[in-house]
Amino acid sequence: MPGQKLVIEGGKSLSGEIKVQGAKNSSLPILAASLLCSGESVLRNCPMLSDVYASCRILNRLGCKCRAENNTVIVDSSSADKAEIPDEMMREMRSSIIFMGALLGRFGYCSLSYPGGCELGPRPIDMHLDALRKMGASVNDEFGIIRCRAEKGLHGTKISLKYPSVGATENIMLAAVLAKGETIIFNAAREPEIIDLGMYLNKCGAVVKGTGGSTIVIEGRERLHGCIHNIMPDRIAAATYIAAVAATRGEINILNFDAAFAESFLPVFEQMGCDVYVYDGNIYVGARKPLKGVGKIITMPHPGFPTDAQAVVMAVLCRAKGSSIFEETIFESRYRHVNALVKMGADIKTAGKAAVIEGVRKMYGAKVEATDLRGGAAMAVAALGAEGITEVSELRYIDRGYESIENVLTSLGASVKRV
Ligand code: UD1
């Protein structure tokens, strides 16, 4: 069956207000964390995305009762009784690896395979495994199947991460909340989604302190119960819609959005020449003036510029006067959208970690293919500001991270159709 595509007629200036969807990168670890609770968790503001459905399927497979409806996911993990995740479920999404810490915490055992080959380059899990070993688990990693066992249960310990990995920090948190004693994570990831995970766990009775900083301290508890939790808004979706508006020289109000979630990328829009105001819990971004290049942007762990926003911001800079340079330090293959942008008329040269963008006056519609989630979104952003019609195929990549992207863009005045 041929896949779906977005057909975008560019050149319309977008304006309006939106409330962004709940954060994918917060929902997925929180769904995995719900396995640790004996009782029901009600997760509101959950984006209805394929990865969220995949997490629900995993939870049901493990014996939980999980159902998703109208942006609320309800998980009852009282009946969980399995600790194995089949290969085909692991491969459905990369974040399935976060179930490792949760399963070990709940059952003292787990068996799962590596998540499927990745579109962003290698995504090793050595830090996850080293940390779990330090907490008392034996790890057997053979023929792509990882079996972890903690005969005497997991125990707290001090873990210094060599790099502030988001996934490793989450896996350790999940393993530690039911472990014996205190776990301290040094050089922990500081992303807002880690704070959200900590908030959820604490509501369930866990004791997690210091999230948002580099040192997280977790005191193990005997058991956790369920809770009601609102998933934080998706900061990368917000960055994408701001980029869409900037690319079309429009303006947007992002409603009910804590500006702290945007501190890592909003300054770049200001540097381009956008007007940015934070008011009453909302953010306004206006791009009515001509935009200019921004010099060098280096992707870094939070609070640095997020690698997930690199592609969509690049799509705006393609038509900003002057030069901009990206240095991508997090993933190896994160410039796969560049060929499509060049096909649309952009002037971008890449060499290793660097991408140099010389702003052009115009870009043109073309037939392009999404190669990964954020790269696909970048093509849509460029298309909105380009002359003529663009078709972005392989829409399934974009759907992994954006809830009905065509409806959100249409509500801002874009001409976008899903075909
Ligand atoms: C998470 C996000 C992803 C984002 C990324 C970086 C989710 C579901 N995904 O991915 O959208 O792009 O953070 O902000 O939240 N690494 C190792 N060994 C490990 C673990 C990681 O070498 O054991 C390396 C990775 O290869 C990468 C870097 O550390 O170069 C950052 O990865 P990490 O922070 O773990 O990203 P993810 O959790 O996979």
Side-chain angles (χ1 to χ4, degrees):
M1 198 181 79
Q4 295 186 326
K5 57 188 174 191
L6 280 183
V7 179
I8 300 172
E9 189 188 336
K12 297 207 162 73
S13 176
L14 305 195
S15 73
E17 53 183 49
I18 60 165
K19 201 179 154 281
V20 285
Q21 66 186 58
K24 169 176 90 71
N25 288 356
S26 171
S27 315
L28 302 179
I30 289 177
L31 279 163
S34 70
L35 177 68
L36 291 161
C37 306
S38 42
E40 192 175 84
S41 287
V42 178
L43 307 176
R44 295 191 177 135
N45 198 35
C46 229
M48 296 288 92
L49 302 168
S50 51
D51 284 7
V52 167
Y53 292 120
S55 298
C56 290
R57 279 195 293 279
I58 291 178
L59 286 165
N60 283 325
R61 167 80 188 197
L62 297 172
C64 308
K65 293 191 180 71
C66 178
R67 58 182 205 278
E69 220 176 297
N70 295 334
N71 295 105
T72 297
V73 180
I74 301 176
V75 190
D76 186 343
S77 298
S78 320
S79 51
D81 59 354
K82 286 183 203 67
E84 293 93 23
I85 304 180
D87 186 52
E88 69 274 12
M89 286 192 164
M90 284 301 290
R91 282 178 188 280
E92 278 190 74
M93 60 167 179
R94 320 262 169 252
S95 317
S96 47
I97 200 66
I98 308 300
F99 276 94
M100 189 163 60
L103 281 168
L104 257 184
R106 171 99 191 222
F107 298 115
Y109 170 73
C110 71
S111 164
L112 32 79
S113 52
Y114 277 86
C118 176
E119 64 255 24
L120 307 181
R123 272 169 117 165
I125 54 165
D126 52 311
M127 284 189 264
H128 304 230
L129 298 180
D130 287 349
L132 295 175
R133 280 193 193 100
K134 240 188 138 190
M135 296 178 76
S138 64
V139 178
N140 182 327
D141 175 4
E142 265 181 356
F143 309 115
I145 305 281
I146 309 163
R147 288 191 184 85
C148 305
R149 192 179 289 279
E151 297 283 0
K152 297 184 195 133
L154 294 171
H155 57 76
T157 184
K158 293 188 172 128
I159 298 164
S160 288
L161 293 177
K162 64 178 183 197
Y163 186 91
S165 153
V166 175
T169 302
E170 291 167 346
N171 245 331
I172 299 166
M173 287 167 73
L174 298 194
V177 284
L178 290 178
K180 267 191 218 96
E182 186 180 77
T183 302
I184 307 181
I185 314 173
F186 297 105
N187 198 26
R190 297 164 61 190
E191 269 68 2
E193 292 77 14
I194 302 276
I195 302 179
D196 207 25
L197 175 62
M199 275 168 56
Y200 166 77
L201 289 167
N202 286 343
K203 280 189 202 167
C204 293
V207 182
V208 180
K209 294 179 191 147
T211 56
S214 294
T215 305
I216 299 179
V217 181
I218 301 146
E219 275 172 42
R221 281 288 176 264
E222 285 279 312
R223 61 193 341 246
L224 302 183
H225 49 77
C227 75
I228 299 176
H229 183 73
N230 282 314
I231 301 290
M232 66 174 281
D234 195 310
R235 57 199 174 95
I236 305 302
T240 303
Y241 294 121
I242 292 172
V245 160
T248 66
R249 309 296 182 258
E251 54 188 355
I252 190 167
N253 288 282
I254 310 267
L255 305 181
N256 295 331
F257 193 93
D258 186 343
F261 298 150
E263 64 180 357
S264 57
F265 60 82
L266 267 188
V268 170
F269 286 98
E270 271 182 306
Q271 245 180 302
M272 281 182 215
C274 295
D275 293 316
V276 176
Y277 305 112
V278 175
Y279 67 98
D280 304 337
N282 310 315
I283 297 177
Y284 166 87
V285 180
R288 298 298 190 193
K289 292 179 276 193
L291 299 185
K292 50 185 191 288
V294 293
K296 191 165 181 176
I297 303 176
I298 307 176
T299 64
M300 297 283 266
H302 193 79
F305 184 86
T307 174
D308 287 350
Q310 175 254 106
V312 294
V313 168
M314 183 186 290
V316 183
L317 291 171
C318 288
R319 285 177 47 248
K321 191 165 189 241
S323 324
S324 307
I325 300 172
F326 277 100
E327 187 181 330
E328 173 57 63
T329 71
I330 316 268
F331 292 110
E332 269 177 31
S333 313
R334 239 190 159 171
Y335 288 136
R336 298 178 64 203
H337 48 282
V338 165
N339 282 347
L341 298 179
V342 168
K343 191 173 175 190
M344 296 172 73
D347 177 352
I348 308 170
K349 294 191 177 58
T350 60
K353 293 179 173 187
V356 180
I357 302 128
E358 292 296 336
V360 294
R361 242 171 48 76
K362 276 190 180 176
M363 286 171 73
Y364 304 92
K367 285 189 178 170
V368 294
E369 196 174 295
T371 46
D372 59 82
L373 162 57
R374 306 301 169 188
M379 293 171 205
V381 167
L384 291 163
E387 236 173 53
I389 293 182
T390 298
E391 291 184 12
V392 186
S393 59
E394 297 295 341
L395 184 47
R396 65 196 166 97
Y397 284 112
I398 300 179
D399 285 336
R400 284 186 55 189
Y402 299 89
E403 217 179 7
S404 320
I405 191 169
E406 72 279 21
N407 293 343
V408 180
L409 293 173
T410 304
S411 78
L412 293 169
S415 168
V416 182
K417 271 199 305 252
R418 176 184 292 263
V419 180

